[in-house]
Amino acid sequence: MNRNTVRWLLGLALVSVIGLAVAWRDRFDVAALQTWVESAGSAAPLVFIALYAAATVLFLPGSVITLAGGVLFGPIWGTLWSLTGATLGAALAFLIARYLGGDWIARRAGPRLSRLNDGVAAEGWRFIAFVRLVPLFPFNLLNYALGLTRIAFLPYVLASALFMLPGALAFTWLGYAGREALSGGEGTVRAILIALALVTSMAFLPRWIRKFRAKPMPDVAELKRQLDAGEEVLVLDVRGASEFTGEGGHISGALNLALEDFPKRMAELEDYKQSTIRLVCRTDRRSAQAAQLLTAAGFIDAQPVRGGMTAWHAKGWPSAQ
């Protein structure tokens, strides 16, 4: 039996088990988890972690288990055991996807998918931080999808553990607060307030992580140094054609693509997705907008130049007409 046959058989077995798990997911709730874990006695934390890891691989809802962690173990130990189980499950799903489909993706990927894959790999742990803190995709599906990229395993695991911590803490506290409310414990109000504060803070994470991912804006001196050194830099001028060829002129060798033309002409830049791109306009307002559009489209190093052509002229440097 060759390796490809083994992969197909393992893949079919995995899909079958996932299908069964999803079909029985209605029985997978906090009460059921509490019964299973409490019956394990002193081994309860290990059973909980194993259940969390298995649920992650089998596409069962992790939020239910995290809430159960708060009910069963309290806010501190519950967070630790939940995070451990989620990280282990994410690592297993990543390795399964890489073993079953990584080579196939590498062979079949076209130029566009390859460039996107390279961009994700170049971002590395920053990309992991973004997708863990900003839940754009379902957690379980994301673990498998990332296994098909070129992201290294160790940065994936470490970044996942670190940046899943806020969500694990918030949902564990929520489960703990629910337990306290039902039992009428003395710390009910405090637990509820802390849980609400943690859940609310999750809403501010997308703005924080965007700032965290943002690279420092280069200035015109840095751009000129790159150009004088002969570095491979695409200078993209996003002003209108009349400004580009007007009195102010433009940086020699710059490519003109007006910001308003981006939706219909961005495909012309496809070959530059892995290149260093520096965007200029009169100041840096339009170039900053253009940089956001390019980054969202998968360009790995598109940055506006601080001050734009105004700063360039202030230095007395020449420009082409």
Side-chain angles (χ1 to χ4, degrees):
M1 189 178 296
N2 61 38
R3 189 175 182 181
N4 286 335
T5 302
V6 172
R7 286 179 173 176
W8 274 105
L9 291 175
L10 289 175
L12 289 172
L14 177 63
V15 171
S16 300
V17 174
I18 290 174
L20 289 173
V22 172
W24 289 80
R25 68 189 302 164
D26 290 343
R27 301 191 179 187
F28 189 75
D29 55 22
V30 174
L33 280 168
Q34 188 170 358
T35 300
W36 297 339
V37 173
E38 288 179 344
S39 64
S42 60
L46 294 178
V47 171
F48 179 81
I49 291 170
L51 285 172
Y52 205 132
T56 301
V57 172
L58 298 177
F59 283 81
L60 294 174
S63 57
V64 172
I65 314 177
T66 310
L67 289 169
V71 173
L72 291 164
F73 304 108
I76 305 302
W77 289 110
T79 298
L80 178 61
W81 303 145
S82 293
L83 185 62
T84 302
T87 303
L88 180 59
L92 289 172
F94 179 95
L95 291 174
I96 290 170
R98 180 153 293 183
Y99 176 75
L100 295 180
D103 292 344
W104 187 88
I105 290 291
R107 290 195 306 269
R108 300 298 181 89
R112 180 173 297 183
L113 183 57
S114 293
R115 283 193 292 269
L116 179 60
N117 203 340
D118 290 339
V120 170
E123 281 273 290
W125 68 270
R126 291 184 179 85
F127 182 80
I128 301 299
F130 178 73
V131 296
R132 292 306 189 195
L133 290 174
V134 185
L136 298 175
F137 305 101
F139 169 70
N140 295 330
L141 179 61
L142 183 65
N143 298 324
Y144 282 97
L146 290 172
L148 300 175
T149 69
R150 297 192 185 98
I151 290 176
F153 177 67
L154 185 58
Y156 164 80
V157 172
L158 294 177
S160 292
L162 178 61
F163 294 102
M164 287 191 299
L165 177 58
L169 184 60
F171 278 94
T172 301
W173 265 100
L174 199 59
Y176 170 69
R179 186 190 75 179
E180 292 296 294
L182 290 174
S183 65
E186 295 181 359
T188 299
V189 174
R190 181 174 64 89
I192 291 175
L193 289 176
I194 292 175
L196 290 175
L198 289 170
V199 172
T200 302
S201 67
M202 296 292 292
F204 294 95
L205 284 177
R207 180 182 300 179
W208 178 83
I209 194 59
R210 285 192 202 98
K211 292 182 179 179
F212 180 74
R213 292 181 78 206
K215 299 177 180 177
M217 186 184 296
D219 57 17
V220 291
E222 173 62 16
L223 175 60
K224 191 167 191 306
R225 183 200 65 76
Q226 291 178 303
L227 296 175
D228 291 343
E231 297 182 17
E232 293 187 7
V233 179
L234 171 64
V235 180
L236 187 60
D237 195 316
V238 298
R239 295 176 296 167
S242 60
E243 292 178 278
F244 184 74
T245 57
E247 291 183 5
H250 55 268
I251 297 171
S252 179
L255 174 67
N256 183 219
L257 177 55
L259 177 62
E260 55 268 24
D261 294 333
F262 262 52
K264 58 184 178 182
R265 294 186 56 193
M266 193 182 294
E268 298 175 20
L269 302 174
E270 192 69 26
D271 292 338
Y272 295 100
K273 277 201 167 181
Q274 307 303 312
S275 303
T276 298
I277 303 176
R278 295 296 175 260
L279 298 114
V280 295
C281 61
R282 189 178 66 82
T283 54
D284 50 47
R285 178 178 295 181
R286 281 175 287 178
S287 58
Q289 296 177 40
Q292 291 178 357
L293 292 173
L294 292 175
T295 300
F299 289 77
I300 66 169
D301 188 12
Q303 297 185 65
V305 176
R306 187 185 307 115
M309 290 305 297
T310 299
W312 183 273
H313 292 313
K315 296 286 188 180
W317 292 328
S319 58
Q321 297 298 320

